[in-house]
Amino acid sequence: MDKEKLIQEAYLVAHKIEENGEFPNNPNLPLMIYKGAFLIHPDETEEAIKKVFAQNGYTNAWVDGIFDYQHYHSNTHEVMGVFCGRADVQFGGEHGVCIELDKGDVVVIPAGVAHRKIKSSDDFTVVGAYPNGSDYNIRYGKPEERPEADEDIAKVKNPDSDPVYGSKGHLFECWYKQNCANV
């Protein structure tokens, strides 16, 4: 894998997703979609995305699809890179924003933001990882999960690096400087 050939400048789409009663979401940190961050060549494997994430401090990686039910993680942020295919993914709960994710896209999901796959191509595959290899929990939006989930979310620290661009990148503009143009 030649990192310079795999990574390209992405078009950023960012959404702040407010709490909606059922899901805490994250009104402070925007969901970020890096459209076209990876130029995945036919001879690449999922390992190429895992390697980029790991070089930037995102480990505990997995390869699969996205669950087709609403869920969130209250104890960590999550990054997913689309290796193959396309999917419509809803963020923020039943009335949240629906984003089409395509091969090469990366999505950075703040702790607390609900997400689920609505539909996908048969070959849809993502690589997921977590800052500093955090273990993740799964929450379902049940009333009894809160306020503990809210307390967990408040304790999650911002990552030290951007999952794709390392010491530079959109994460610093959006999460540290609160300077996202399309939020």
Side-chain angles (χ1 to χ4, degrees):
M1 173 201 75
D2 183 350
K3 185 176 174 183
E4 273 60 42
K5 290 182 181 176
L6 178 67
I7 297 172
Q8 56 189 9
E9 186 56 38
Y11 175 77
L12 174 66
V13 177
H15 295 276
K16 278 197 178 173
I17 303 178
E18 301 287 333
E19 189 272 339
N20 69 6
E22 191 174 17
F23 296 102
N25 293 312
N26 198 314
N28 300 316
L29 301 175
L31 170 78
M32 297 186 304
I33 299 95
Y34 299 7
K35 298 299 287 179
F38 292 127
L39 180 60
I40 300 170
H41 301 279
D43 59 340
E44 296 285 0
T45 68
E46 296 92 339
E47 292 302 315
I49 295 174
K50 279 186 183 180
K51 186 173 181 180
V52 170
F53 289 164
Q55 287 172 341
N56 294 314
Y58 292 73
T59 55
N60 190 17
W62 50 268
V63 176
D64 205 341
I66 298 174
F67 294 136
D68 61 0
Y69 52 85
Q70 293 285 359
H71 68 286
Y72 67 96
H73 313 291
S74 65
N75 64 339
T76 187
H77 307 300
E78 180 175 30
V79 63
M80 288 188 259
V82 181
F83 174 73
C84 192
R86 63 154 307 280
D88 291 337
V89 180
Q90 185 176 45
F91 298 94
E94 188 175 330
H95 301 289
V97 62
C98 184
I99 304 288
E100 181 179 298
L101 298 178
D102 297 292
K103 179 180 178 175
D105 291 350
V106 171
V107 60
V108 181
I109 307 169
V113 173
H115 48 286
R116 76 175 178 118
K117 178 189 71 177
I118 295 173
K119 66 179 181 177
S120 69
S121 59
D122 291 340
D123 61 347
F124 180 66
T125 306
V126 298
V127 175
Y130 306 90
N132 300 315
S134 295
D135 284 328
Y136 58 91
N137 61 20
I138 298 181
R139 302 286 183 245
Y140 304 96
K142 297 178 181 175
E144 61 269 19
E145 295 171 345
R146 301 195 43 203
E148 181 182 349
D150 293 330
E151 292 169 10
D152 288 347
I153 293 164
K155 294 176 191 172
V156 176
K157 304 231 183 297
N158 285 355
D160 296 328
S161 67
D162 185 280
V164 177
Y165 305 108
S167 63
K168 299 177 179 151
H170 301 299
L171 186 109
F172 295 104
E173 289 297 315
C174 290
W175 285 16
Y176 286 86
K177 296 180 183 177
Q178 298 289 310
N179 187 25
C180 282
N182 57 355
V183 171

